[in-house]
Amino acid sequence: MAPDLSTTYLGLQLSSPLVPSASPLSRNLDTIRRLEDAGAAAIVLHSLFEEQIEFEGHLLDRYLNVSADSSYWEATSYHPEPDDFRLPPEQYLEHLRRAKAAAGIPIIASLNGISAGGWIKYARLIEQAGADALELNVYYLPTDQRLAGARIEEAMLDLVRQVRETVSIPLAVKLSPYYSNIAHVAHELDEVGVDGLVLFNRFNQPDIDLDTLEVVTKPLISTDGEGEVLRLPLRWIAILRAQITADLAANGGVHTAHDVVKLLLVGADVTMLASALLLHGVGRLQRIETDLLAWLEEHEYESIAQLRGSMSQRRVPDPAAFERAHYIRTVGTFPLAAPLHVTTPLL
Protein backbone atom coordinates (compact mmCIF):
# COMPACT_ATOMS: atom_id res chain seq x y z
CA MET A 1 0.00 0.00 0.00
CA ALA A 2 1.30 3.45 -0.94
CA PRO A 3 2.08 5.89 1.89
CA ASP A 4 -0.77 8.15 2.96
CA LEU A 5 -0.04 11.75 1.88
CA SER A 6 -3.16 13.26 3.42
CA THR A 7 -2.88 16.19 5.80
CA THR A 8 -5.00 18.95 7.27
CA TYR A 9 -4.56 22.69 6.90
CA LEU A 10 -6.85 25.41 8.25
CA GLY A 11 -9.27 22.68 9.20
CA LEU A 12 -9.43 21.50 5.58
CA GLN A 13 -8.86 17.85 4.71
CA LEU A 14 -6.22 17.73 1.96
CA SER A 15 -5.03 14.83 -0.17
CA SER A 16 -1.39 15.91 0.14
CA PRO A 17 0.78 18.75 1.48
CA LEU A 18 1.31 20.22 -2.00
CA VAL A 19 -0.42 23.59 -2.31
CA PRO A 20 0.31 26.10 -5.11
CA SER A 21 0.70 29.52 -3.47
CA ALA A 22 -0.64 32.84 -4.77
CA SER A 23 0.75 33.45 -8.26
CA PRO A 24 -0.37 34.38 -11.79
CA LEU A 25 -1.08 30.69 -12.42
CA SER A 26 -4.38 30.91 -10.57
CA ARG A 27 -5.70 33.69 -12.79
CA ASN A 28 -6.75 31.14 -15.43
CA LEU A 29 -9.50 28.59 -14.81
CA ASP A 30 -7.97 26.06 -17.18
CA THR A 31 -4.68 26.27 -15.30
CA ILE A 32 -6.52 25.78 -12.00
CA ARG A 33 -8.02 22.57 -13.41
CA ARG A 34 -4.59 21.45 -14.63
CA LEU A 35 -3.08 22.13 -11.21
CA GLU A 36 -5.76 19.97 -9.62
CA ASP A 37 -5.16 17.18 -12.14
CA ALA A 38 -1.41 17.36 -11.44
CA GLY A 39 -1.92 16.84 -7.72
CA ALA A 40 -2.58 20.21 -6.09
CA ALA A 41 -4.37 19.56 -2.80
CA ALA A 42 -5.64 23.15 -2.58
CA ILE A 43 -4.90 26.41 -4.39
CA VAL A 44 -4.27 29.90 -3.06
CA LEU A 45 -5.67 32.40 -5.54
CA HIS A 46 -3.64 35.41 -6.68
CA SER A 47 -4.11 38.33 -4.33
CA LEU A 48 -6.66 41.09 -4.31
CA PHE A 49 -4.44 44.08 -3.53
CA GLU A 50 -5.28 46.90 -1.17
CA GLU A 51 -4.50 49.39 -3.94
CA GLN A 52 -7.26 47.87 -6.08
CA ILE A 53 -9.77 48.20 -3.24
CA GLU A 54 -8.70 51.79 -2.61
CA PHE A 55 -9.01 52.56 -6.33
CA GLU A 56 -12.64 51.44 -6.24
CA GLY A 57 -13.18 53.81 -3.32
CA HIS A 58 -11.60 56.70 -5.23
CA LEU A 59 -13.96 56.13 -8.17
CA LEU A 60 -16.99 55.99 -5.92
CA ASP A 61 -15.96 59.15 -4.12
CA ARG A 62 -15.42 60.90 -7.43
CA TYR A 63 -18.96 60.31 -8.66
CA LEU A 64 -20.68 60.91 -5.33
CA ASN A 65 -18.89 64.19 -4.71
CA VAL A 66 -18.36 65.57 -8.21
CA SER A 67 -17.66 69.29 -8.26
CA ALA A 68 -18.10 71.89 -10.98
CA ASP A 69 -14.61 73.08 -10.21
CA SER A 70 -12.49 72.10 -13.22
CA SER A 71 -9.45 71.67 -11.00
CA TYR A 72 -11.12 68.64 -9.43
CA TRP A 73 -11.44 66.94 -12.79
CA GLU A 74 -7.84 67.74 -13.64
CA ALA A 75 -6.69 66.19 -10.37
CA THR A 76 -8.61 62.97 -11.03
CA SER A 77 -8.27 62.75 -14.78
CA TYR A 78 -5.72 59.93 -14.51
CA HIS A 79 -8.48 57.52 -13.41
CA PRO A 80 -10.12 55.53 -16.24
CA GLU A 81 -13.78 56.21 -16.93
CA PRO A 82 -16.14 53.65 -15.33
CA ASP A 83 -17.57 52.60 -18.70
CA ASP A 84 -14.09 51.55 -19.82
CA PHE A 85 -12.91 49.95 -16.61
CA ARG A 86 -14.27 46.94 -14.76
CA LEU A 87 -13.35 47.16 -11.10
CA PRO A 88 -10.70 44.59 -10.11
CA PRO A 89 -12.39 43.70 -6.79
CA GLU A 90 -15.58 42.66 -8.59
CA GLN A 91 -13.53 40.71 -11.11
CA TYR A 92 -11.74 38.96 -8.28
CA LEU A 93 -14.96 37.89 -6.60
CA GLU A 94 -16.38 36.59 -9.88
CA HIS A 95 -13.16 34.68 -10.58
CA LEU A 96 -13.36 33.16 -7.10
CA ARG A 97 -16.90 31.96 -7.75
CA ARG A 98 -15.88 30.41 -11.06
CA ALA A 99 -12.79 28.79 -9.54
CA LYS A 100 -14.94 27.19 -6.86
CA ALA A 101 -17.31 25.85 -9.50
CA ALA A 102 -14.47 24.57 -11.69
CA ALA A 103 -12.34 22.85 -9.06
CA GLY A 104 -12.97 19.99 -6.67
CA ILE A 105 -10.30 21.09 -4.21
CA PRO A 106 -10.32 23.91 -1.62
CA ILE A 107 -9.83 27.43 -2.98
CA ILE A 108 -8.12 29.86 -0.61
CA ALA A 109 -8.56 33.56 -1.38
CA SER A 110 -5.85 36.12 -0.68
CA LEU A 111 -5.95 39.76 0.43
CA ASN A 112 -2.70 41.73 0.13
CA GLY A 113 -2.12 44.90 2.14
CA ILE A 114 -1.64 46.36 5.61
CA SER A 115 -4.61 48.59 6.57
CA ALA A 116 -8.22 47.78 7.38
CA GLY A 117 -9.69 49.97 4.62
CA GLY A 118 -11.79 47.81 2.36
CA TRP A 119 -10.34 44.61 3.79
CA ILE A 120 -13.20 44.13 6.21
CA LYS A 121 -15.80 44.58 3.49
CA TYR A 122 -14.04 42.33 1.01
CA ALA A 123 -13.22 39.68 3.57
CA ARG A 124 -16.96 39.33 4.07
CA LEU A 125 -17.64 39.35 0.31
CA ILE A 126 -14.93 36.74 -0.25
CA GLU A 127 -16.59 34.51 2.32
CA GLN A 128 -19.96 35.01 0.62
CA ALA A 129 -18.40 34.16 -2.76
CA GLY A 130 -17.58 30.71 -1.44
CA ALA A 131 -13.89 30.76 -0.50
CA ASP A 132 -12.88 27.81 1.66
CA ALA A 133 -10.42 30.00 3.56
CA LEU A 134 -8.77 33.41 3.46
CA GLU A 135 -5.06 34.25 3.51
CA LEU A 136 -4.05 37.74 4.64
CA ASN A 137 -0.82 38.62 2.86
CA VAL A 138 0.75 41.30 5.05
CA TYR A 139 3.13 43.31 2.83
CA TYR A 140 4.32 46.53 4.40
CA LEU A 141 7.59 48.42 3.96
CA PRO A 142 7.85 51.11 6.67
CA THR A 143 10.02 54.08 5.68
CA ASP A 144 8.92 56.66 8.27
CA GLN A 145 11.72 56.98 10.82
CA ARG A 146 9.21 58.05 13.46
CA LEU A 147 7.19 54.84 13.20
CA ALA A 148 8.28 52.39 15.89
CA GLY A 149 8.25 48.67 15.24
CA ALA A 150 5.81 48.04 18.08
CA ARG A 151 3.23 50.28 16.43
CA ILE A 152 3.58 48.36 13.16
CA GLU A 153 2.95 45.08 14.95
CA GLU A 154 -0.02 46.52 16.84
CA ALA A 155 -1.60 47.79 13.60
CA MET A 156 -1.15 44.42 11.92
CA LEU A 157 -2.63 42.55 14.88
CA ASP A 158 -5.58 44.94 15.02
CA LEU A 159 -6.23 44.40 11.31
CA VAL A 160 -6.15 40.63 11.69
CA ARG A 161 -8.39 40.84 14.75
CA GLN A 162 -10.98 42.83 12.80
CA VAL A 163 -10.95 40.38 9.91
CA ARG A 164 -11.16 37.45 12.34
CA GLU A 165 -14.29 39.00 13.88
CA THR A 166 -15.78 39.59 10.42
CA VAL A 167 -15.55 36.15 8.83
CA SER A 168 -16.13 32.63 10.06
CA ILE A 169 -14.10 30.83 7.37
CA PRO A 170 -10.57 29.69 8.31
CA LEU A 171 -8.01 32.51 8.35
CA ALA A 172 -4.28 32.37 7.65
CA VAL A 173 -1.70 35.16 7.85
CA LYS A 174 1.29 35.27 5.52
CA LEU A 175 4.14 36.92 7.41
CA SER A 176 7.44 38.48 6.43
CA PRO A 177 10.60 37.43 8.31
CA TYR A 178 11.46 41.02 9.27
CA TYR A 179 9.79 41.35 12.66
CA SER A 180 12.12 41.86 15.61
CA ASN A 181 10.67 38.78 17.35
CA ILE A 182 8.86 36.39 15.04
CA ALA A 183 8.03 34.04 17.91
CA HIS A 184 6.20 36.82 19.74
CA VAL A 185 4.26 37.89 16.63
CA ALA A 186 3.31 34.28 15.95
CA HIS A 187 2.11 33.87 19.55
CA GLU A 188 0.01 37.06 19.37
CA LEU A 189 -1.62 35.94 16.10
CA ASP A 190 -2.30 32.57 17.69
CA GLU A 191 -4.05 34.37 20.53
CA VAL A 192 -6.13 36.40 18.06
CA GLY A 193 -7.45 33.11 16.70
CA VAL A 194 -5.88 32.70 13.29
CA ASP A 195 -5.99 29.16 11.97
CA GLY A 196 -2.62 29.18 10.23
CA LEU A 197 0.62 31.04 9.53
CA VAL A 198 2.43 31.07 6.20
CA LEU A 199 6.20 31.46 6.54
CA PHE A 200 7.38 33.52 4.72
CA ASN A 201 6.34 36.32 2.39
CA ARG A 202 9.16 37.17 -0.01
CA PHE A 203 9.22 40.84 -1.01
CA ASN A 204 10.20 42.02 -4.45
CA GLN A 205 13.32 44.16 -4.21
CA PRO A 206 14.34 47.01 -6.55
CA ASP A 207 17.40 46.91 -8.78
CA ILE A 208 19.25 49.39 -10.99
CA ASP A 209 19.40 49.04 -14.78
CA LEU A 210 22.90 50.32 -15.58
CA ASP A 211 22.04 50.91 -19.26
CA THR A 212 18.99 53.09 -18.68
CA LEU A 213 19.89 54.25 -15.14
CA GLU A 214 16.38 53.42 -14.00
CA VAL A 215 15.05 51.68 -10.94
CA VAL A 216 13.51 48.39 -12.07
CA THR A 217 11.67 45.55 -10.39
CA LYS A 218 11.61 41.95 -11.50
CA PRO A 219 9.55 38.98 -10.32
CA LEU A 220 11.17 37.33 -7.31
CA ILE A 221 11.62 33.74 -8.47
CA SER A 222 13.55 31.15 -6.50
CA THR A 223 15.53 28.53 -8.41
CA ASP A 224 16.47 24.88 -7.97
CA GLY A 225 19.29 24.42 -5.49
CA GLU A 226 18.71 27.81 -3.85
CA GLY A 227 18.79 26.14 -0.46
CA GLU A 228 19.31 29.29 1.58
CA VAL A 229 15.77 30.44 0.67
CA LEU A 230 14.31 27.23 2.09
CA ARG A 231 16.33 27.41 5.31
CA LEU A 232 14.50 30.44 6.67
CA PRO A 233 11.02 28.87 6.84
CA LEU A 234 12.63 25.56 7.84
CA ARG A 235 14.24 27.13 10.91
CA TRP A 236 11.17 29.02 12.09
CA ILE A 237 8.71 26.22 11.52
CA ALA A 238 10.98 23.99 13.60
CA ILE A 239 11.04 26.57 16.40
CA LEU A 240 7.34 27.46 16.32
CA ARG A 241 5.93 23.95 15.92
CA ALA A 242 5.65 23.33 19.66
CA GLN A 243 4.93 26.94 20.62
CA ILE A 244 1.66 27.67 18.82
CA THR A 245 -1.52 25.81 17.94
CA ALA A 246 -2.05 27.39 14.50
CA ASP A 247 -1.17 25.34 11.42
CA LEU A 248 2.12 26.13 9.68
CA ALA A 249 2.59 26.46 5.94
CA ALA A 250 6.07 26.68 4.41
CA ASN A 251 6.51 29.12 1.54
CA GLY A 252 9.60 29.95 -0.48
CA GLY A 253 12.17 27.78 -2.22
CA VAL A 254 10.17 24.54 -2.57
CA HIS A 255 11.26 22.86 -5.82
CA THR A 256 11.72 19.15 -5.11
CA ALA A 257 10.34 16.31 -3.00
CA HIS A 258 13.41 16.56 -0.79
CA ASP A 259 12.46 20.17 -0.01
CA VAL A 260 8.98 19.00 0.93
CA VAL A 261 10.31 16.23 3.17
CA LYS A 262 12.62 18.60 5.07
CA LEU A 263 9.80 21.02 5.79
CA LEU A 264 7.44 18.26 6.88
CA LEU A 265 10.10 16.86 9.21
CA VAL A 266 10.38 20.17 11.08
CA GLY A 267 6.61 20.44 11.39
CA ALA A 268 5.02 22.04 8.32
CA ASP A 269 1.40 21.04 7.69
CA VAL A 270 1.61 22.00 4.03
CA THR A 271 4.33 23.15 1.65
CA MET A 272 3.49 25.92 -0.80
CA LEU A 273 5.19 26.46 -4.12
CA ALA A 274 4.98 28.80 -7.09
CA SER A 275 8.42 29.41 -8.61
CA ALA A 276 8.92 25.73 -9.43
CA LEU A 277 5.62 25.69 -11.34
CA LEU A 278 6.35 28.96 -13.14
CA LEU A 279 9.80 27.72 -14.18
CA HIS A 280 9.02 24.10 -15.03
CA GLY A 281 5.29 23.98 -15.68
CA VAL A 282 2.29 22.56 -13.88
CA GLY A 283 3.55 19.02 -14.42
CA ARG A 284 6.24 19.64 -11.80
CA LEU A 285 3.61 18.98 -9.13
CA GLN A 286 3.10 15.42 -10.30
CA ARG A 287 6.86 14.81 -10.35
CA ILE A 288 7.22 16.09 -6.78
CA GLU A 289 4.35 13.89 -5.57
CA THR A 290 5.83 10.80 -7.25
CA ASP A 291 9.26 11.46 -5.74
CA LEU A 292 7.70 12.16 -2.33
CA LEU A 293 5.94 8.80 -2.35
CA ALA A 294 9.17 7.08 -3.39
CA TRP A 295 11.13 8.70 -0.55
CA LEU A 296 8.52 7.72 2.03
CA GLU A 297 8.48 4.12 0.81
CA GLU A 298 12.27 3.92 0.77
CA HIS A 299 12.47 5.17 4.36
CA GLU A 300 9.54 3.00 5.47
CA TYR A 301 7.11 5.76 6.40
CA GLU A 302 3.46 4.85 6.15
CA SER A 303 2.11 8.39 6.19
CA ILE A 304 2.90 12.09 6.30
CA ALA A 305 1.57 12.19 9.86
CA GLN A 306 4.23 9.70 10.93
CA LEU A 307 7.16 11.98 10.09
CA ARG A 308 5.61 15.45 10.54
CA GLY A 309 7.42 17.38 13.25
CA SER A 310 9.77 14.54 14.16
CA MET A 311 12.70 16.93 13.68
CA SER A 312 11.18 20.08 15.15
CA GLN A 313 13.32 21.94 17.66
CA ARG A 314 11.90 20.21 20.72
CA ARG A 315 12.25 16.73 19.24
CA VAL A 316 15.84 16.71 17.98
CA PRO A 317 18.77 15.72 20.21
CA ASP A 318 20.41 19.12 19.69
CA PRO A 319 17.74 21.86 19.88
CA ALA A 320 20.43 24.56 19.72
CA ALA A 321 21.04 23.57 16.10
CA PHE A 322 18.16 25.88 15.18
CA GLU A 323 19.54 28.81 17.17
CA ARG A 324 22.67 30.94 17.53
CA ALA A 325 24.89 28.19 18.92
CA HIS A 326 24.67 26.45 15.56
CA TYR A 327 25.91 29.62 13.87
CA ILE A 328 28.90 29.83 16.22
CA ARG A 329 29.92 26.23 15.50
CA THR A 330 29.47 26.67 11.76
CA VAL A 331 31.62 29.80 11.58
CA GLY A 332 34.29 28.19 13.74
CA THR A 333 34.64 25.17 11.47
CA PHE A 334 34.36 26.87 8.06
CA PRO A 335 37.22 25.60 5.84
CA LEU A 336 39.52 28.22 4.34
CA ALA A 337 40.07 28.12 0.58
CA ALA A 338 43.81 28.86 1.15
CA PRO A 339 46.14 29.05 4.15
CA LEU A 340 45.90 32.30 6.05
CA HIS A 341 49.22 34.16 5.94
CA VAL A 342 49.71 36.94 8.47
CA THR A 343 52.53 39.30 7.59
CA THR A 344 51.92 41.92 10.27
CA PRO A 345 51.21 41.51 13.98
CA LEU A 346 47.55 41.28 14.94
CA LEU A 347 46.72 43.92 17.55
Side-chain angles (χ1 to χ4, degrees):
M1 181 181 296
D4 180 7
L5 297 183
S6 64
T7 186
T8 59
Y9 177 60
L10 307 181
L12 304 170
Q13 296 293 325
L14 305 183
S15 60
S16 84
L18 304 179
V19 177
S21 57
S23 80
L25 290 170
S26 61
R27 293 178 180 272
N28 185 280
L29 292 179
D30 288 338
T31 306
I32 288 175
R33 296 188 188 97
R34 289 173 56 213
L35 286 167
E36 181 180 6
D37 292 342
I43 293 176
V44 183
L45 287 187
H46 60 283
S47 295
L48 173 59
F49 288 87
E50 182 173 339
E51 290 82 354
Q52 293 172 311
I53 294 174
E54 289 179 348
F55 180 68
E56 180 191 51
H58 291 321
L59 282 178
L60 180 62
D61 182 69
R62 170 179 172 179
Y63 285 95
L64 290 178
N65 302 286
V66 60
S67 168
D69 184 354
S70 61
S71 64
Y72 176 89
W73 292 99
E74 180 180 10
T76 58
S77 61
Y78 60 87
H79 288 312
E81 294 298 324
D83 291 341
D84 301 324
F85 184 72
R86 189 179 179 189
L87 295 177
E90 295 305 320
Q91 285 183 322
Y92 188 90
L93 294 171
E94 181 58 28
H95 181 67
L96 169 57
R97 296 184 191 99
R98 293 180 178 180
K100 278 293 300 175
I105 55 177
I107 300 295
I108 302 171
S110 174
L111 281 173
N112 188 308
I114 190 60
S115 63
W119 278 39
I120 308 303
K121 170 186 175 182
Y122 278 97
R124 186 180 295 110
L125 291 173
I126 281 171
E127 180 176 37
Q128 293 172 358
D132 294 286
L134 174 60
E135 179 181 287
L136 297 182
N137 188 333
V138 183
Y139 188 142
Y140 182 57
L141 183 67
T143 58
D144 186 344
Q145 62 183 350
R146 299 164 297 180
L147 185 59
R151 288 180 58 192
I152 296 172
E153 292 183 12
E154 289 169 5
M156 183 272 291
L157 289 168
D158 185 58
L159 164 64
V160 175
R161 187 178 294 106
Q162 291 182 59
V163 176
R164 176 70 289 171
E165 293 171 354
T166 299
V167 299
S168 59
I169 57 175
L171 183 66
V173 177
K174 191 172 187 178
L175 290 172
S176 83
Y178 301 125
Y179 293 98
S180 58
N181 187 345
I182 294 171
H184 174 74
V185 172
H187 170 75
E188 290 298 300
L189 287 168
D190 207 26
E191 290 292 302
V192 167
V194 301
D195 301 279
L197 299 179
V198 183
L199 310 178
F200 287 104
N201 197 347
R202 298 182 66 204
F203 294 172
N204 278 351
Q205 306 293 354
D207 197 1
I208 301 294
D209 187 317
L210 294 179
D211 292 323
T212 63
L213 295 182
E214 294 178 340
V215 178
V216 296
T217 56
K218 298 178 181 179
L220 191 60
I221 301 291
S222 64
T223 58
D224 293 11
E226 197 176 356
E228 63 272 16
V229 175
L230 189 74
R231 292 174 192 172
L232 187 60
L234 185 147
R235 161 183 271 180
W236 278 105
I237 288 172
I239 293 172
L240 294 175
R241 180 66 286 168
Q243 295 188 20
I244 64 173
T245 59
D247 292 339
L248 294 170
N251 182 76
V254 177
H255 284 264
T256 69
H258 285 176
D259 297 333
V260 174
V261 171
K262 290 177 183 180
L263 293 164
L264 292 172
L265 283 169
V266 296
D269 295 287
V270 295
T271 57
M272 295 185 173
L273 64 166
S275 295
L277 306 180
L278 291 168
L279 290 171
H280 304 290
V282 169
R284 183 76 168 205
L285 263 178
Q286 196 166 28
R287 169 68 183 276
I288 292 175
E289 182 176 308
T290 299
D291 292 347
L292 176 59
L293 285 167
W295 190 94
L296 292 171
E297 289 179 345
E298 180 182 351
H299 293 81
E300 300 182 349
Y301 283 99
E302 297 180 358
S303 67
I304 291 295
Q306 188 180 354
L307 85 157
R308 185 191 297 111
S310 59
M311 294 191 67
S312 63
Q313 185 184 35
R314 291 194 180 178
R315 298 183 67 180
V316 294
D318 182 17
F322 291 105
E323 297 182 1
R324 181 174 170 80
H326 183 57
Y327 169 77
I328 296 171
R329 287 198 299 269
T330 302
V331 172
T333 60
F334 191 83
L336 297 175
L340 179 63
H341 298 287
V342 180
T343 57
T344 57
L346 295 177
L347 300 179

